[in-house]
């Protein structure tokens, strides 16, 4: 909603926070790799960026800088080259960045995300529980929350299959 964005920029950023549109560029965070990269998607992504930049310029933001979220993630760690692994709910993306530029043709997507890990833990809990029912008086929601906490607090990503095998010992 363009009117909400206008309100946020003018009322919050410029008036309350004291930012000046001529001195503080707006960084347009891009993440247009929710599926495999192809030429058609590249064209539609560039059109979306163009429309967003035009809307921001219309909102008195003369300096609009489009930056991919993977580049911002690396810059937050004071790096401009690396590989960002974005583990989403249903997919995992590998996003290589070289000298601050996303290497679009090298982006890889696998349809395995955090929900797969949660579902696996739920199946393990179901096999451990008596008669396939939740242990004790726990509801299905509570069991799902147990699986989520175990995954987030106790899980880790091994750097290699050898590291994984050594961790099991």
């Amino acid at each position: 909603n363009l009117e909400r964005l206008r309100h946020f920029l003018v009322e919050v950023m410029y008036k309350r926070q004291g930012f000046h549109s001529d001195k503080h560029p707006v960084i347009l965070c891009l993440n247009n790799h929710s599926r495999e990269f192809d030429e058609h998607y590249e064209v539609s992504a560039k059109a979306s960026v163009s429309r967003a930049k035009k809307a921001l310029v219309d909102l008195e933001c003369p300096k609009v800088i489009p930056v991919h979220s993977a580049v911002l993630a690396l810059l937050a760690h004071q790096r401009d080259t690396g590989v960002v692994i974005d583990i989403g709910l249903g997919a995992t993306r590998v996003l290589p960045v070289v000298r601050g530029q996303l290497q679009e043709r090298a982006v890889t997507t696998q349809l395995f995300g955090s929900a797969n890990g949660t579902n696996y833990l739920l199946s393990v809990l179901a096999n451990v529980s008596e008669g396939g029912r939740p242990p004790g008086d726990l509801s299905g929601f509570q069991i799902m929350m147990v699986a989520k906490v175990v995954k987030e607090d106790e899980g880790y990503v091994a750097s290699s299959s050898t590291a994984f095998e050594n961790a099991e010992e």
Side-chain angles (χ1 to χ4, degrees), residues 14 18-26 60-65:
Y14 300 151
F19 290 112
H20 299 283
S21 63
D22 59 333
K23 294 180 185 172
H24 300 98
V26 172
E60 300 174 17
C61 299
K63 297 177 187 175
V64 179
I65 304 168

Side-chain angles (χ1 to χ4, degrees), residues 111-130:
L111 296 177
F112 185 89
S114 63
N116 300 92
T118 302
N119 291 338
Y120 172 75
L121 287 173
L122 286 170
S123 71
V124 169
L125 288 172
N127 290 333
V128 171
S129 64
E130 296 178 19

Side-chain angles (χ1 to χ4, degrees), residues 51-132:
R51 284 191 305 273
K53 284 178 73 171
K54 182 185 179 319
L56 288 169
V57 169
D58 290 347
L59 292 173
E60 300 174 17
C61 299
K63 297 177 187 175
V64 179
I65 304 168
V67 180
H68 195 280
S69 60
V71 174
L72 293 175
L74 286 174
L75 291 175
H77 294 278
Q78 299 177 345
R79 300 188 186 291
D80 68 351
T81 300
V83 176
V84 175
I85 300 174
D86 176 11
I87 302 173
L89 184 64
T92 299
R93 287 166 288 285
V94 178
L95 304 150
V97 176
V98 177
R99 291 187 292 282
Q101 295 294 313
L102 177 68
Q103 303 303 299
E104 294 173 335
R105 298 250 181 237
V107 170
T108 303
T109 302
Q110 292 293 316
L111 296 177
F112 185 89
S114 63
N116 300 92
T118 302
N119 291 338
Y120 172 75
L121 287 173
L122 286 170
S123 71
V124 169
L125 288 172
N127 290 333
V128 171
S129 64
E130 296 178 19

Side-chain angles (χ1 to χ4, degrees), residues 35-51:
R35 56 185 159 161
E36 290 291 331
F37 180 82
D38 62 29
E39 288 182 26
H40 171 73
Y41 193 60
E42 178 184 19
V43 170
S44 65
K46 286 181 179 177
S48 295
V49 170
S50 178
R51 284 191 305 273

